[in-house]
Amino acid sequence: MQHQEFAPPEELRNTIKCFWHNRRDFGDLPSTFEVQPDGYAEIIFQFGSALSIATPDGWQPLASPFLMGLLNQPALLRTAGPLEIIGVRCFPWTVFDVLGLPPNKAGGRLVEHPIAQLQAPLAELMQAGRLAEALAQLTGYFLQAGLPGTDDPLLLKAGAAMREANGTLPVSQVAAAAHATVRTLERKFKQAVGHTVKDVAGLMRFEQVRNHLWRHPAASLAGLAQELGYADQAHLSREFKRYSGTTPAAFARQARHGQQAISHDFVAFVQA
């Protein structure tokens, strides 16, 4: 698995965390992997082999591009053969405005949007190995397409405060950072994201625990709980299992044995 991240230009940094690229050959037989929750929404362009996602009704093929919104539990994906992805990692309080779509709480979502017209030219560039040109074309789309974007200072200030604190601030402090009442913040946030401030903060905080345990599986859970503002270790463990489906101790054991990812850079499919 080869993972690369690319910073967006200054004009897009309130909306897009990064562009990223990943490539892997899964072999001839179908393989499955999990996408763990985190605090971002992803616009995914896929090339080569097709992806499917597990649903209660069975495996559903995913078009390209598709939007992977905020997850409250891992998503199981399946593919075979060579797969290449260009992702656009967006802040959840901006992505729906950028795409001109209404927010929803569904994790995976097909993108019926003019951005889908980029699939064919991007595929041609990727087939020719011209990644830099593909990224430039995608970046240019966001810069030139006249998408609405989020210019609400309340959301931008609230999002910046949440990012800086890695989701550890209580809602009242996020509201204070945004110079708003809690009621106003919650109303605008729910309208823009489809989730509450507490929902998104919980995902951001879980992401920090998950990433730390992946890199440092012997870390003290009690210490992490204190550092990230959980009431205690038991609270951290409950929240971790809620989002990941496993306990932090089990996740750490998997990390020690290298069973959770292909390499140390698991950020594309289990994002960092």
Side-chain angles (χ1 to χ4, degrees):
M1 185 179 291
Q2 302 174 11
H3 179 81
Q4 298 169 281
E5 292 188 0
F6 307 88
E10 185 67 35
E11 303 95 308
L12 297 176
R13 290 183 184 174
N14 281 335
T15 299
I16 295 173
K17 172 69 165 61
C18 68
F19 298 95
W20 56 268
H21 169 248
N22 207 305
R23 179 194 299 117
R24 186 191 168 201
D25 192 333
F26 285 84
D28 295 333
L29 298 177
S31 298
T32 60
F33 57 87
E34 282 188 346
V35 176
Q36 289 274 349
D38 67 8
Y40 299 101
E42 306 271 1
I43 303 169
I44 303 293
F45 289 85
Q46 52 177 318
F47 313 98
S49 301
L51 279 170
S52 297
I53 188 168
T55 74
D57 298 320
W59 291 101
Q60 175 186 339
L62 288 168
S64 185
F66 66 90
L67 175 65
M68 185 67 77
L70 294 176
L71 301 172
N72 57 16
Q73 59 185 5
L76 186 64
L77 277 71
R78 182 176 71 177
T79 191
L83 173 67
E84 198 160 6
I85 287 176
I86 291 179
V88 187
R89 184 167 300 156
C90 300
F91 301 117
W93 46 87
T94 63
V95 65
F96 293 111
D97 272 351
V98 164
L99 292 175
L101 295 172
N104 73 350
K105 295 191 70 170
R109 181 174 178 180
L110 299 181
V111 177
E112 295 185 8
H113 188 276
I115 197 173
Q117 297 172 9
L118 290 176
Q119 176 66 25
L122 290 179
E124 184 176 345
L125 289 170
M126 297 304 291
Q127 188 173 10
R130 293 153 62 183
L131 172 62
E133 292 178 52
L135 289 168
Q137 184 163 346
L138 185 56
T139 302
Y141 174 84
F142 284 100
L143 288 171
Q144 299 170 16
L147 299 177
T150 293
D151 57 5
D152 188 327
L154 185 155
L155 290 175
L156 295 177
K157 289 175 183 176
M162 294 169 70
R163 288 169 53 203
E164 185 176 354
N166 292 320
T168 62
L169 289 181
V171 176
S172 60
Q173 291 186 31
V174 176
H179 307 295
T181 65
V182 169
R183 183 176 180 180
T184 299
L185 172 67
E186 289 284 22
R187 176 176 53 81
K188 287 200 169 189
F189 208 84
K190 191 73 179 287
Q191 288 173 347
V193 185
H195 294 259
T196 67
V197 175
K198 186 177 179 180
D199 289 338
V200 178
L203 284 165
M204 295 171 76
R205 192 161 56 166
F206 160 76
E207 181 185 344
Q208 300 305 307
V209 178
R210 184 203 64 193
N211 293 349
H212 193 91
L213 287 178
W214 175 254
R215 298 186 181 104
H216 309 285
S220 163
L221 294 180
L224 273 177
Q226 182 175 11
E227 178 183 345
L228 293 173
Y230 291 95
D232 51 29
Q233 182 177 331
H235 181 206
L236 180 151
S237 295
R238 286 194 303 273
E239 290 292 292
F240 193 94
K241 188 169 185 180
R242 170 190 171 193
Y243 290 122
S244 71
T246 189
T247 66
F251 183 89
R253 285 195 297 271
Q254 291 172 337
R256 286 191 190 96
H257 293 96
Q259 297 169 356
Q260 183 74 19
I262 305 304
S263 72
H264 70 283
D265 244 341
F266 65 115
V267 285
F269 297 132
V270 185
Q271 299 152 7

